[in-house]
Amino acid sequence: MSDAHAPYDALLLLSFGGPEGPEDVVPFLENVTRGRGIPKERLAEVGQHYFLFGGVSPINAQNRVLLAALRADFADHGLDLPVYWGNRNWAPYLVDTLREMAADGHRRVLVLATSAYANYSGCRQYRENLAAALTALREEGAPGAAGLRLDKLRLFHNHPGFVEPMIESTLAALDSLPQAVRAGARLAFTTHSIPDTLADSSGAPGDPARVAGAHGGAYVAQHREVARLIAEAVAQATGVAERPWELVYQSRSGAPHIPWLEPDICDHLEAQHADGAAAVVMVPIGFVSDHMEVVYDLDTQAREKAEELGLPVARAATVGADPRFTAAVRDLVLERAARERGEAVTPCALGALGASHDVCPVGCCPAARGAAPAAAGEEWTD
C-alpha cells in the first residue's frame, strides 16, 4: 500500500451531526444552541421541521455513506489511511472519536470538515471544537492525546471534484423541467444565510476572496465564483447564453433586528415569478449533502412557495458521495501530505480565486463574540 499520505496516519471526517429519532431532537438542538439560554419549549418549536421527518435528520446516514465511499476510494487507490468520523453536535461525538483515534495510536491526523466555504460556523467553529476536544482529552489524561496533532484540509469549494458534480446535477435538474420552460429557466444558487457581520469578516485578512467579496468577505465571493463557474458551464452545455442567475440564501435564524445575507430563497421565488421567469432551478452549492436544510428549506418550504405561485421549479442534487468528490478528498490529502514533506505542489482549483490556504492565519473567520482557542491554525501550539 502507498505511503504517499505520510506524515499523516489517519483522516477524520468532521461534520455537524443530527438527530436520529424524535427523542433526539430537543437534546440535539440543546447541543447546537448551548450557552444561548433558549428554553426547551422554544427548542421544541424550532424542531418541528425535524418532526415532519420522524425526528430524523438525513445527515448522519449521508455521512455514513460518505465515510464508506472514502474508505473504498482510498483502498482502491492503494492509500493505506484509516478514516474515522466524528460530529460537533451529535453521536458519534468529536471528543469520543478523537479519544478512539489516539488510543488506536494515531498522532498526525488530517481533518476534513464537511463545509466548503470560509466563514465562522463553517471553518473556525470546527477548529474551536477541535481545540476544545483536544484540551478535554489531555486534561483527562487520555492515552496518546498529548501527542495528537490535527491539521485541517483546505477549503474545497472550487476544487473540480466539487464543482463538476454540481454542474452535472444542475443540468439534470434543468432536464427534469417541462421542455417548454427549460430555455427560460433561471438559476438560483442557494447557501446558508449568515449575519452580515460574519460575512464581512469571513476569510483571512488580505485573502483575495475576502477583498473580492460583495460584503467585503470571502464567504460571498467564494459562493459567487462557484455559481459563476457552474452557470457558465451550464450555458455552454445548453446553448442558452443569457440565463439569469442569482446567489440567494436560506435557513436564516437569530434575532430579526440583526441583518443577515439576503434575499431568502422564498422571497427570491416571488420576485422571479413577478419578473416573468418561466421556471427556476435551485442549486444548493452551499451544502455537501442533501441534509435537513436542503430537504426542508428547499424541498418543502421553497417548493410549497413555488406551487403557491404556480412557478415550475427543480432542485439540483448536492455532491454527496459522488466518486469525483471522494477523489477530490484523496487529492487534497495527497496535496497536503506532499507539502508537509517539503515537496513542491500545484494545488487544484478552478476559477479566479485560487486555492485556499492550508493553515488558517491569525484573524481568519473570527467570531462575533470573543475569540476561543482554535486548533489547526497559526495561533494554535501543540
Side-chain angles (χ1 to χ4, degrees), residues 184-191 224 227 243-251 261-284 297-298 301-303 305-309 311-314:
R186 304 177 184 182
L187 306 179
F189 295 97
T190 75
T191 191
R224 290 194 64 83
R243 188 186 302 276
W245 65 267
E246 295 288 343
L247 177 62
V248 303
Y249 302 92
Q250 60 181 89
S251 313
L261 293 175
E262 296 178 338
D264 175 78
I265 178 61
C266 290
D267 295 337
H268 178 71
L269 292 177
E270 288 186 341
Q272 294 303 295
H273 179 257
D275 193 45
V280 172
V281 172
M282 300 178 289
V283 188
D297 294 341
L298 298 184
Q301 282 192 319
R303 281 190 180 276
K305 173 59 67 174
E307 289 175 5
E308 172 190 316
L309 297 168
L311 177 67
V313 295

Side-chain angles (χ1 to χ4, degrees), residues 357-377:
H357 46 257
D358 280 329
V359 181
C360 292
V362 176
C364 190
C365 297
R369 53 173 170 74

Side-chain angles (χ1 to χ4, degrees), residues 118 199-222 353:
D200 291 344
S201 63
S202 61
D207 188 324
R210 181 163 172 171
V211 173
H215 282 256
Y219 185 73
V220 172
Q222 290 169 354
L353 297 179

